[in-house]
Protein backbone atom coordinates (compact mmCIF):
# COMPACT_ATOMS: atom_id res chain seq x y z
CA UNK A 1 0.00 0.00 0.00
CA UNK A 2 1.27 3.45 -0.77
CA UNK A 3 2.44 5.08 2.51
CA UNK A 4 0.25 8.08 1.88
CA UNK A 5 -2.79 6.16 0.65
CA UNK A 6 -4.91 7.27 3.59
CA UNK A 7 -4.26 10.90 2.68
CA UNK A 8 -7.32 12.75 1.43
CA UNK A 9 -6.63 15.28 -1.37
CA UNK A 10 -8.94 18.23 -1.83
CA UNK A 11 -9.06 21.41 -3.82
CA UNK A 12 -10.91 24.54 -2.68
CA UNK A 13 -12.50 27.14 -5.00
CA UNK A 14 -10.40 29.92 -6.52
CA UNK A 15 -9.32 32.90 -4.45
CA UNK A 16 -12.12 35.45 -4.19
CA UNK A 17 -9.90 38.55 -3.93
CA UNK A 18 -7.74 37.50 -6.88
CA UNK A 19 -10.77 36.57 -9.03
CA UNK A 20 -12.41 40.00 -8.50
CA UNK A 21 -9.18 41.75 -9.48
CA UNK A 22 -8.53 39.53 -12.50
CA UNK A 23 -12.07 40.18 -13.80
CA UNK A 24 -11.74 43.94 -13.33
CA UNK A 25 -8.25 44.23 -14.82
CA UNK A 26 -9.25 41.92 -17.70
CA UNK A 27 -12.18 44.26 -18.37
CA UNK A 28 -9.85 47.28 -18.43
CA UNK A 29 -7.13 45.65 -20.55
CA UNK A 30 -6.73 45.92 -24.29
CA UNK A 31 -7.31 42.53 -25.96
CA UNK A 32 -8.39 39.15 -24.66
CA UNK A 33 -7.42 37.97 -21.17
CA UNK A 34 -7.77 34.40 -19.89
CA UNK A 35 -8.51 33.55 -16.25
CA UNK A 36 -8.20 29.91 -15.21
CA UNK A 37 -9.96 28.43 -12.15
CA UNK A 38 -11.65 31.66 -11.01
CA UNK A 39 -14.00 31.54 -8.03
CA UNK A 40 -17.48 30.88 -9.43
CA UNK A 41 -19.51 32.19 -6.49
CA UNK A 42 -22.17 34.80 -5.85
CA UNK A 43 -19.63 37.55 -5.07
CA UNK A 44 -17.54 37.14 -8.21
CA UNK A 45 -20.72 36.74 -10.28
CA UNK A 46 -21.68 40.18 -8.94
CA UNK A 47 -18.42 41.61 -10.29
CA UNK A 48 -18.86 39.92 -13.68
CA UNK A 49 -22.47 41.11 -13.95
CA UNK A 50 -21.51 44.69 -13.04
CA UNK A 51 -18.79 44.72 -15.69
CA UNK A 52 -21.26 43.33 -18.25
CA UNK A 53 -23.68 46.13 -17.36
CA UNK A 54 -20.82 48.56 -18.10
CA UNK A 55 -20.45 47.14 -21.60
CA UNK A 56 -17.70 44.52 -21.13
CA UNK A 57 -17.92 41.20 -22.96
CA UNK A 58 -17.61 38.54 -20.19
CA UNK A 59 -19.25 35.11 -20.51
CA UNK A 60 -20.80 33.22 -17.59
CA UNK A 61 -18.05 32.31 -15.14
CA UNK A 62 -16.72 28.75 -15.47
CA UNK A 63 -13.47 26.76 -15.21
CA UNK A 64 -11.92 29.26 -17.63
CA UNK A 65 -13.09 32.77 -18.45
CA UNK A 66 -12.05 34.75 -21.52
CA UNK A 67 -12.66 38.49 -21.28
CA UNK A 68 -12.55 40.87 -24.22
CA UNK A 69 -11.24 43.97 -22.51
CA UNK A 70 -12.91 47.33 -23.14
CA UNK A 71 -9.68 49.25 -22.54
CA UNK A 72 -8.93 51.71 -19.73
CA UNK A 73 -11.42 54.27 -21.05
CA UNK A 74 -13.88 51.93 -22.79
CA UNK A 75 -16.55 51.33 -20.13
CA UNK A 76 -20.05 52.52 -21.09
CA UNK A 77 -22.77 53.91 -18.77
CA UNK A 78 -25.05 51.23 -17.36
CA UNK A 79 -28.73 51.76 -18.18
CA UNK A 80 -29.65 50.17 -14.84
CA UNK A 81 -28.70 50.51 -11.20
CA UNK A 82 -25.77 48.15 -10.56
CA UNK A 83 -26.57 45.70 -7.76
CA UNK A 84 -23.37 44.41 -6.13
CA UNK A 85 -25.26 41.84 -4.02
CA UNK A 86 -23.36 40.90 -0.86
CA UNK A 87 -19.94 41.91 -2.19
CA UNK A 88 -17.99 44.76 -0.57
CA UNK A 89 -15.01 44.12 -2.84
CA UNK A 90 -17.20 44.48 -5.94
CA UNK A 91 -18.68 47.83 -4.98
CA UNK A 92 -15.56 49.39 -3.50
CA UNK A 93 -13.23 48.39 -6.34
CA UNK A 94 -15.84 49.45 -8.91
CA UNK A 95 -16.12 52.86 -7.27
CA UNK A 96 -12.41 53.26 -7.93
CA UNK A 97 -12.72 52.15 -11.57
CA UNK A 98 -15.76 54.39 -12.15
CA UNK A 99 -14.14 57.40 -10.46
CA UNK A 100 -12.07 57.69 -13.65
CA UNK A 101 -15.01 57.10 -16.03
CA UNK A 102 -16.83 60.23 -17.27
CA UNK A 103 -20.45 59.20 -16.68
CA UNK A 104 -23.01 58.62 -13.91
CA UNK A 105 -23.49 55.26 -12.21
CA UNK A 106 -25.84 54.21 -9.40
CA UNK A 107 -24.59 51.42 -7.13
CA UNK A 108 -26.43 49.38 -4.52
CA UNK A 109 -26.34 46.00 -2.78
CA UNK A 110 -28.23 43.59 -0.53
CA UNK A 111 -29.29 44.47 3.04
CA UNK A 112 -25.89 43.44 4.44
CA UNK A 113 -23.94 45.54 1.92
CA UNK A 114 -26.31 48.52 2.36
CA UNK A 115 -25.41 48.50 6.07
CA UNK A 116 -21.63 48.80 5.45
CA UNK A 117 -19.61 52.06 5.37
CA UNK A 118 -18.68 53.49 1.97
CA UNK A 119 -17.05 56.81 2.88
CA UNK A 120 -13.75 55.04 3.52
CA UNK A 121 -13.65 54.80 -0.30
CA UNK A 122 -15.73 57.77 -1.44
CA UNK A 123 -13.75 60.31 0.66
CA UNK A 124 -10.39 59.68 -1.05
CA UNK A 125 -12.05 59.38 -4.47
CA UNK A 126 -13.75 62.77 -3.92
CA UNK A 127 -10.34 64.25 -3.12
CA UNK A 128 -9.33 63.08 -6.61
CA UNK A 129 -12.35 64.80 -8.20
CA UNK A 130 -15.12 62.17 -8.42
CA UNK A 131 -18.54 63.07 -6.94
CA UNK A 132 -20.85 60.89 -4.84
CA UNK A 133 -24.48 61.35 -3.74
CA UNK A 134 -25.70 59.14 -0.93
CA UNK A 135 -29.30 58.45 -1.96
CA UNK A 136 -30.74 57.22 1.35
CA UNK A 137 -28.40 57.30 4.35
CA UNK A 138 -25.05 58.88 5.19
CA UNK A 139 -22.06 56.69 4.44
CA UNK A 140 -24.21 53.94 2.91
CA UNK A 141 -25.41 52.56 -0.42
CA UNK A 142 -27.25 53.27 -2.63
CA UNK A 143 -24.89 55.87 -4.08
CA UNK A 144 -24.98 57.77 -7.36
CA UNK A 145 -21.51 58.72 -8.56
CA UNK A 146 -19.91 60.67 -11.37
CA UNK A 147 -16.33 60.22 -12.56
CA UNK A 148 -13.90 61.75 -15.05
CA UNK A 149 -10.28 62.87 -15.33
CA UNK A 150 -8.82 62.91 -11.82
CA UNK A 151 -6.27 64.82 -9.75
CA UNK A 152 -3.22 63.08 -8.21
CA UNK A 153 -3.57 61.96 -4.59
CA UNK A 154 -1.35 60.99 -1.70
CA UNK A 155 -3.63 59.33 0.84
CA UNK A 156 -2.91 58.24 4.42
CA UNK A 157 -5.57 55.60 4.92
CA UNK A 158 -6.87 55.37 8.50
CA UNK A 159 -7.62 51.66 7.93
CA UNK A 160 -5.45 48.82 6.69
CA UNK A 161 -7.89 47.96 3.93
CA UNK A 162 -7.07 46.35 0.60
CA UNK A 163 -10.42 47.51 -0.72
CA UNK A 164 -9.61 51.16 0.00
CA UNK A 165 -6.05 50.81 -1.33
CA UNK A 166 -7.22 49.01 -4.49
CA UNK A 167 -10.01 51.51 -5.19
CA UNK A 168 -7.48 54.38 -5.17
CA UNK A 169 -4.99 52.48 -7.35
CA UNK A 170 -7.74 51.63 -9.87
CA UNK A 171 -8.91 55.27 -9.89
CA UNK A 172 -5.32 56.29 -10.66
CA UNK A 173 -5.39 53.90 -13.63
CA UNK A 174 -8.74 54.90 -15.18
CA UNK A 175 -8.46 58.59 -14.19
CA UNK A 176 -4.82 58.91 -15.39
CA UNK A 177 -3.52 60.31 -12.08
CA UNK A 178 -0.46 59.53 -9.94
CA UNK A 179 -1.54 58.09 -6.59
CA UNK A 180 0.18 57.06 -3.38
CA UNK A 181 -1.58 55.11 -0.64
CA UNK A 182 -0.08 54.77 2.86
CA UNK A 183 -1.62 52.30 5.31
CA UNK A 184 -1.05 51.58 9.01
CA UNK A 185 -0.20 47.89 8.35
CA UNK A 186 0.15 46.12 5.01
CA UNK A 187 -3.20 44.79 3.77
CA UNK A 188 -3.42 42.05 1.13
CA UNK A 189 -1.34 43.04 -1.88
CA UNK A 190 -2.96 41.12 -4.77
CA UNK A 191 -3.74 44.31 -6.68
CA UNK A 192 -0.12 45.45 -6.52
CA UNK A 193 1.18 42.04 -7.62
CA UNK A 194 -1.23 41.82 -10.54
CA UNK A 195 -0.59 45.37 -11.72
CA UNK A 196 3.20 44.90 -11.56
CA UNK A 197 2.94 41.64 -13.48
CA UNK A 198 1.06 43.30 -16.35
CA UNK A 199 3.55 46.13 -16.59
CA UNK A 200 2.04 49.04 -14.61
CA UNK A 201 4.82 51.11 -12.97
CA UNK A 202 4.40 50.67 -9.21
CA UNK A 203 6.71 51.53 -6.36
CA UNK A 204 6.10 49.53 -3.21
CA UNK A 205 7.94 50.56 -0.05
CA UNK A 206 7.61 52.43 3.25
CA UNK A 207 7.16 56.07 4.20
CA UNK A 208 9.48 57.94 6.61
CA UNK A 209 7.71 56.56 9.66
CA UNK A 210 7.95 53.00 8.37
CA UNK A 211 4.36 52.59 7.24
CA UNK A 212 3.79 50.57 4.05
CA UNK A 213 3.09 52.64 0.96
CA UNK A 214 2.48 52.09 -2.75
CA UNK A 215 2.74 54.59 -5.61
CA UNK A 216 1.20 54.08 -9.07
CA UNK A 217 2.05 56.02 -12.21
CA UNK A 218 -0.65 56.01 -14.89
CA UNK A 219 -0.26 54.14 -18.21
CA UNK A 220 -1.83 54.65 -21.66
CA UNK A 221 -3.21 51.11 -21.77
CA UNK A 222 -3.12 47.78 -19.94
CA UNK A 223 -1.81 44.61 -21.57
CA UNK A 224 -4.15 41.62 -21.70
CA UNK A 225 -2.91 38.73 -19.53
CA UNK A 226 -3.37 35.09 -18.51
CA UNK A 227 -3.86 34.19 -14.86
CA UNK A 228 -4.13 30.94 -12.90
CA UNK A 229 -6.13 31.67 -9.77
CA UNK A 230 -4.84 29.75 -6.70
CA UNK A 231 -7.23 28.18 -4.20
CA UNK A 232 -8.60 30.53 -1.59
CA UNK A 233 -6.78 30.21 1.75
CA UNK A 234 -9.82 31.80 3.40
CA UNK A 235 -11.93 28.86 2.14
CA UNK A 236 -9.22 26.28 2.90
CA UNK A 237 -9.22 27.57 6.50
CA UNK A 238 -12.61 25.92 7.12
CA UNK A 239 -11.41 22.54 5.85
CA UNK A 240 -8.26 22.90 7.96
CA UNK A 241 -10.39 23.77 11.00
CA UNK A 242 -12.67 20.78 10.49
CA UNK A 243 -9.68 18.45 10.19
CA UNK A 244 -7.92 19.88 13.26
CA UNK A 245 -11.10 19.44 15.27
CA UNK A 246 -12.55 16.18 14.02
CA UNK A 247 -10.41 14.81 11.16
CA UNK A 248 -9.95 11.07 10.70
CA UNK A 249 -6.66 11.02 8.80
CA UNK A 250 -4.33 13.28 6.89
CA UNK A 251 -5.85 15.89 4.56
CA UNK A 252 -3.95 17.65 1.77
CA UNK A 253 -5.50 20.79 0.24
CA UNK A 254 -3.67 21.38 -3.03
CA UNK A 255 -2.73 24.63 -4.78
CA UNK A 256 -3.76 27.06 -2.05
CA UNK A 257 -2.74 30.72 -2.35
CA UNK A 258 -0.11 31.49 0.31
CA UNK A 259 0.48 35.18 -0.20
CA UNK A 260 2.44 36.43 2.87
CA UNK A 261 -0.21 39.12 3.49
CA UNK A 262 -2.83 36.37 3.92
CA UNK A 263 -1.18 33.55 5.90
CA UNK A 264 -1.77 34.68 9.49
CA UNK A 265 -4.22 31.79 9.95
CA UNK A 266 -1.48 29.23 9.22
CA UNK A 267 0.88 30.90 11.71
CA UNK A 268 -1.79 31.03 14.41
CA UNK A 269 -2.83 27.40 13.93
CA UNK A 270 0.80 26.27 14.24
CA UNK A 271 1.18 28.42 17.37
CA UNK A 272 -1.94 26.78 18.86
CA UNK A 273 -0.32 23.37 18.33
CA UNK A 274 -2.10 22.45 15.09
CA UNK A 275 -0.38 19.83 12.91
CA UNK A 276 -0.55 21.99 9.79
CA UNK A 277 2.29 22.22 7.27
CA UNK A 278 2.99 23.82 3.92
CA UNK A 279 4.37 21.54 1.18
CA UNK A 280 5.23 22.08 -2.52
CA UNK A 281 5.61 25.82 -1.98
CA UNK A 282 6.10 27.61 -5.31
CA UNK A 283 5.00 30.69 -7.22
CA UNK A 284 2.60 31.07 -10.15
CA UNK A 285 1.44 34.24 -11.91
CA UNK A 286 3.14 36.42 -9.28
CA UNK A 287 1.37 34.74 -6.33
CA UNK A 288 2.90 32.19 -3.90
CA UNK A 289 0.98 28.92 -3.51
CA UNK A 290 1.42 25.41 -2.14
CA UNK A 291 -0.34 22.51 -0.42
CA UNK A 292 -1.70 22.63 3.13
CA UNK A 293 -1.28 19.29 4.92
CA UNK A 294 -3.25 18.92 8.13
CA UNK A 295 -4.17 16.35 10.78
CA UNK A 296 -6.38 16.31 13.83
CA UNK A 297 -4.70 18.06 16.77
CA UNK A 298 -5.22 19.15 20.35
CA UNK A 299 -5.12 22.95 20.37
CA UNK A 300 -4.01 25.39 23.04
CA UNK A 301 -5.24 28.97 23.46
CA UNK A 302 -3.38 31.95 22.05
CA UNK A 303 -3.34 35.75 21.95
CA UNK A 304 -3.81 37.47 18.61
CA UNK A 305 -2.49 41.04 18.55
CA UNK A 306 -3.61 43.96 16.38
CA UNK A 307 -0.52 43.66 14.12
CA UNK A 308 -1.61 40.18 13.03
CA UNK A 309 -5.19 41.08 12.14
CA UNK A 310 -4.75 42.19 8.48
CA UNK A 311 -3.13 38.84 7.63
CA UNK A 312 -6.07 36.83 9.02
CA UNK A 313 -8.95 39.33 8.96
CA UNK A 314 -11.43 36.95 7.32
CA UNK A 315 -10.36 33.96 9.44
CA UNK A 316 -11.25 35.37 12.88
CA UNK A 317 -14.68 33.64 13.03
CA UNK A 318 -13.21 30.19 12.39
CA UNK A 319 -10.29 30.84 14.75
CA UNK A 320 -12.83 31.78 17.44
CA UNK A 321 -14.75 28.54 16.90
CA UNK A 322 -11.50 26.56 17.27
CA UNK A 323 -10.56 28.60 20.35
CA UNK A 324 -13.78 27.41 22.01
CA UNK A 325 -12.32 23.88 21.75
CA UNK A 326 -8.76 24.79 22.75
CA UNK A 327 -7.17 24.43 26.14
CA UNK A 328 -7.14 27.85 27.85
CA UNK A 329 -8.39 31.38 27.14
CA UNK A 330 -7.86 33.01 23.74
CA UNK A 331 -7.74 36.79 23.40
CA UNK A 332 -8.23 38.56 20.04
CA UNK A 333 -7.29 42.27 19.99
CA UNK A 334 -7.30 45.14 17.52
CA UNK A 335 -9.99 43.61 15.34
CA UNK A 336 -12.46 46.53 15.20
CA UNK A 337 -12.66 46.17 11.40
CA UNK A 338 -14.64 42.99 11.95
CA UNK A 339 -17.61 45.07 13.01
CA UNK A 340 -18.06 46.35 9.42
CA UNK A 341 -17.76 43.09 7.49
CA UNK A 342 -20.73 41.20 5.95
CA UNK A 343 -22.06 41.21 9.54
CA UNK A 344 -20.70 42.63 12.79
CA UNK A 345 -18.48 39.58 13.13
CA UNK A 346 -17.41 40.29 16.72
CA UNK A 347 -21.01 40.35 17.89
CA UNK A 348 -22.16 37.53 15.59
CA UNK A 349 -19.37 35.19 16.74
CA UNK A 350 -19.75 35.93 20.46
CA UNK A 351 -23.57 35.77 20.41
CA UNK A 352 -23.56 32.51 18.47
CA UNK A 353 -20.87 30.89 20.61
CA UNK A 354 -22.85 31.85 23.70
CA UNK A 355 -26.10 30.59 22.17
CA UNK A 356 -24.62 27.11 21.66
CA UNK A 357 -23.12 26.88 25.13
CA UNK A 358 -19.53 28.18 24.81
CA UNK A 359 -18.03 30.91 26.98
CA UNK A 360 -17.12 34.05 25.06
CA UNK A 361 -17.07 37.79 25.75
CA UNK A 362 -17.31 40.73 23.40
CA UNK A 363 -14.72 43.54 23.56
CA UNK A 364 -15.01 46.83 21.63
CA UNK A 365 -12.16 45.75 19.34
CA UNK A 366 -12.09 42.01 19.76
CA UNK A 367 -13.19 39.09 21.90
CA UNK A 368 -12.18 36.67 24.64
CA UNK A 369 -12.99 32.97 24.27
CA UNK A 370 -12.73 30.50 27.12
CA UNK A 371 -11.84 27.09 25.70
CA UNK A 372 -12.76 23.65 26.87
CA UNK A 373 -15.82 22.88 24.75
CA UNK A 374 -14.18 19.66 23.61
CA UNK A 375 -15.50 16.63 25.48
CA UNK A 376 -12.84 14.43 27.03
CA UNK A 377 -13.44 11.64 24.48
CA UNK A 378 -14.44 11.33 20.80
CA UNK A 379 -15.14 13.93 18.07
CA UNK A 380 -16.40 15.56 21.11
CA UNK A 381 -17.75 19.08 20.93
CA UNK A 382 -20.08 19.67 23.86
CA UNK A 383 -21.86 22.46 21.98
CA UNK A 384 -25.35 22.41 20.49
CA UNK A 385 -28.09 24.74 19.28
CA UNK A 386 -28.99 27.01 16.37
CA UNK A 387 -26.59 29.58 14.90
CA UNK A 388 -27.79 32.78 13.20
CA UNK A 389 -25.87 33.55 10.03
CA UNK A 390 -26.85 37.24 9.51
CA UNK A 391 -26.28 37.16 5.68
CA UNK A 392 -22.63 36.30 6.34
CA UNK A 393 -21.01 33.39 4.48
CA UNK A 394 -18.07 33.16 6.86
CA UNK A 395 -20.30 32.93 9.94
CA UNK A 396 -22.19 30.10 8.18
CA UNK A 397 -18.96 28.22 7.41
CA UNK A 398 -17.19 28.82 10.74
CA UNK A 399 -20.15 27.32 12.58
CA UNK A 400 -20.67 24.83 9.74
CA UNK A 401 -17.37 23.29 10.83
CA UNK A 402 -18.96 22.75 14.25
CA UNK A 403 -22.13 21.45 12.71
CA UNK A 404 -20.09 18.68 11.03
CA UNK A 405 -18.01 18.00 14.15
CA UNK A 406 -21.11 17.65 16.34
CA UNK A 407 -23.02 15.48 13.88
CA UNK A 408 -25.59 18.22 13.47
CA UNK A 409 -26.06 19.15 17.15
CA UNK A 410 -25.02 22.66 16.06
CA UNK A 411 -27.20 23.89 13.17
CA UNK A 412 -26.85 27.02 11.02
CA UNK A 413 -30.09 28.80 10.13
CA UNK A 414 -29.03 29.72 6.56
CA UNK A 415 -26.76 27.03 5.08
CA UNK A 416 -27.08 28.49 1.54
CA UNK A 417 -25.14 31.64 2.57
CA UNK A 418 -21.91 29.73 1.79
CA UNK A 419 -22.53 30.26 -1.96
CA UNK A 420 -21.03 33.74 -1.75
CA UNK A 421 -17.46 32.39 -1.60
CA UNK A 422 -17.54 28.56 -1.35
CA UNK A 423 -20.31 26.84 -3.33
CA UNK A 424 -20.01 23.14 -2.52
CA UNK A 425 -18.81 23.86 1.01
CA UNK A 426 -21.05 21.27 2.65
CA UNK A 427 -19.95 18.54 0.21
CA UNK A 428 -16.31 19.51 0.66
CA UNK A 429 -16.71 19.14 4.41
CA UNK A 430 -18.21 15.67 3.96
CA UNK A 431 -15.44 14.73 1.46
CA UNK A 432 -12.81 15.71 4.00
CA UNK A 433 -13.98 12.83 6.14
CA UNK A 434 -14.21 10.25 3.36
CA UNK A 435 -11.08 8.07 3.40
CA UNK A 436 -8.80 8.44 0.36
CA UNK A 437 -8.13 4.72 -0.20
CA UNK A 438 -11.71 3.49 -0.17
C1 LIG B 1 -10.77 42.09 0.50
C2 LIG B 1 -10.27 42.84 1.53
C3 LIG B 1 -10.67 42.70 2.92
C4 LIG B 1 -11.37 41.36 3.17
C5 LIG B 1 -12.40 41.07 2.11
C6 LIG B 1 -11.74 41.01 0.74
C7 LIG B 1 -10.30 42.36 -0.87
O1 LIG B 1 -11.54 43.75 3.27
O2 LIG B 1 -11.98 41.35 4.44
O3 LIG B 1 -13.01 39.82 2.36
O4 LIG B 1 -10.49 41.51 -1.76
O5 LIG B 1 -9.72 43.43 -1.09
P1 LIG B 1 -10.99 45.21 3.71
O6 LIG B 1 -10.24 45.76 2.57
O7 LIG B 1 -12.19 45.99 4.06
O8 LIG B 1 -10.11 44.91 4.90
Amino acid sequence: MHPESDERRLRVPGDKSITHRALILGALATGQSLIRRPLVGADTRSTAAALRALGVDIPELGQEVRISGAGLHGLRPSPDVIDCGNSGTTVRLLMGVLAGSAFDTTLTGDASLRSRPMRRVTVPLELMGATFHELEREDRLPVRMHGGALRPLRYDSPQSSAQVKSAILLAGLTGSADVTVVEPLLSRDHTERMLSRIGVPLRVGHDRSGRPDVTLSPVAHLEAFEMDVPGDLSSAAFIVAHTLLAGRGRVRIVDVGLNPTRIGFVTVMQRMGGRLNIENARESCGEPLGDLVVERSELTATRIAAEEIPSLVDEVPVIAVLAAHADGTTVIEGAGELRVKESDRIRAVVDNLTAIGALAEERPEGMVIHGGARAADATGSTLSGVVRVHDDHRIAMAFGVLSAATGGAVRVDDPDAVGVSFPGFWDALADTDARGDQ
Side-chain angles (χ1 to χ4, degrees), residues 32-57:
Q32 198 178 70
S33 293
L34 174 60
I35 306 169
R36 295 187 201 91
R37 288 190 196 278
L39 168 64
V40 184
D43 267 17
T44 50
R45 283 206 182 96
S46 291
T47 292
L51 293 167
R52 256 176 237 128
L54 293 162
V56 184
D57 181 8

Side-chain angles (χ1 to χ4, degrees), residues 5-27:
S5 60
D6 73 339
E7 180 181 279
R8 190 82 191 133
R9 282 171 75 91
L10 297 176
R11 184 180 286 283
V12 290
D15 187 277
K16 180 157 80 69
S17 292
I18 293 176
T19 302
H20 283 301
R21 287 156 173 79
L23 292 171
I24 290 172
L25 291 177

Side-chain angles (χ1 to χ4, degrees), residues 325-366:
H325 293 82
D327 186 16
T329 296
T330 292
V331 180
I332 301 176
E333 294 167 346
E337 273 294 297
L338 264 75
R339 293 206 180 272
V340 292
K341 295 295 179 189
E342 286 82 332
S343 67
D344 174 344
R345 285 185 177 157
I346 294 178
R347 176 151 300 170
V349 165
V350 171
D351 283 357
N352 279 319
L353 281 175
T354 309
I356 60 174
L359 289 175
E361 294 147 35
E362 193 175 333
R363 296 278 182 269
E365 302 248 323

Side-chain angles (χ1 to χ4, degrees), residues 16-17 21 89 120 160-163 188 313-314 341:
K16 180 157 80 69
S17 292
R21 287 156 173 79
T89 309
R120 53 181 54 206
S160 295
S161 162
Q163 294 176 354
R188 62 190 66 191
V313 63
D314 291 338
K341 295 295 179 189

Side-chain angles (χ1 to χ4, degrees), residues 217-268:
S217 307
V219 288
H221 68 273
L222 282 185
E223 299 287 340
F225 58 90
E226 293 192 8
M227 173 97 207
D228 296 307
V229 180
D232 198 326
L233 176 56
S234 295
S235 297
F238 300 109
I239 304 296
V240 169
H242 175 68
T243 308
L244 290 172
L245 200 61
R248 292 192 284 121
R250 195 149 68 141
V251 172
R252 176 182 297 269
I253 313 170
V254 298
D255 298 345
V256 181
L258 296 171
N259 181 309
T261 60
R262 296 277 301 276
I263 57 170
F265 173 77
V266 175
T267 313
V268 167

Side-chain angles (χ1 to χ4, degrees), residues 372-407:
R374 182 187 280 281
D377 52 7
T379 51
S381 176
T382 55
L383 306 177
S384 65
V386 179
V387 164
R388 293 185 58 199
V389 166
H390 300 284
D391 283 338
D392 189 335
H393 54 131
R394 297 204 199 281
I395 298 295
M397 290 187 280
F399 287 89
V401 165
L402 274 189
S403 182
T406 60

